[in-house]
Amino acid sequence: WRANRLRSASPASSGALCRRVYLDLIGRIPTVAELRAYRSNKGRDKDAELVDRLLSSAYDSEYARHWATIWTNLLIGRTGGTERRSPISRQGMSEYLVQSFLENKPYDVLSRELIGAVGAARPDMEGYNGAVNFLIGKMDEGGVQATAKTAQIFLGLAVQCTQCHNHPFNETKQNQFWEL
């Protein structure tokens, strides 16, 4: 920071910090009563206590709903499953994620379930498995989009250029794309 003549921002006020934590963890601002309770706490660990409270069972449904919305948008896009004849069920994806977050499912288990899911996409279908909605709309073209999105989301790699050629700015090679 010194080399670039940067300075950190001044600390947020207690009200701003409380608002940010509520928005980040459960997707809404605190009620007046919740804000007053936070601000009246004079303890040294009140920020950590706030985070612990929002991650407790008292707020688990709000936490799960909020993060399911974020992950649904990440996995199937903001419009995925909204088209009339779409094979993707936005409701199915969301229900699967809410349940996963309520169960505090580990990330590796969640990832495996999403990538290897089999079953039906909608809750009203026999063999329903909401996790299939991640890949169901990406299987055209021999699964090229499934490969690209899986690498992007779960590996943090942009590999779509390597589908056709070894890209000069990408360490991943064309054969690795097709192996994935």
Side-chain angles (χ1 to χ4, degrees), residues 76 89 91-97 114 117-123 127-134:
I76 64 172
S89 169
Q91 176 191 357
M93 181 88 267
S94 182
E95 284 182 12
Y96 163 77
L97 290 167
L114 288 164
V118 295
R122 291 192 320 268
Y128 164 66
N129 177 359
V132 302
N133 287 290
F134 166 55

Side-chain angles (χ1 to χ4, degrees), residues 54-99:
L54 292 176
L55 293 176
S56 74
S57 61
Y59 290 89
D60 62 358
S61 62
E62 288 183 86
Y63 174 87
R65 178 200 44 79
H66 172 61
W67 284 96
T69 299
I70 290 170
W71 274 89
T72 296
N73 290 339
L74 176 73
L75 296 169
I76 64 172
R78 291 188 180 277
T79 61
T82 60
E83 300 84 22
R84 186 165 180 245
R85 297 193 187 271
S86 174
I88 302 167
S89 169
R90 188 165 200 83
Q91 176 191 357
M93 181 88 267
S94 182
E95 284 182 12
Y96 163 77
L97 290 167
V98 165
Q99 190 58 42

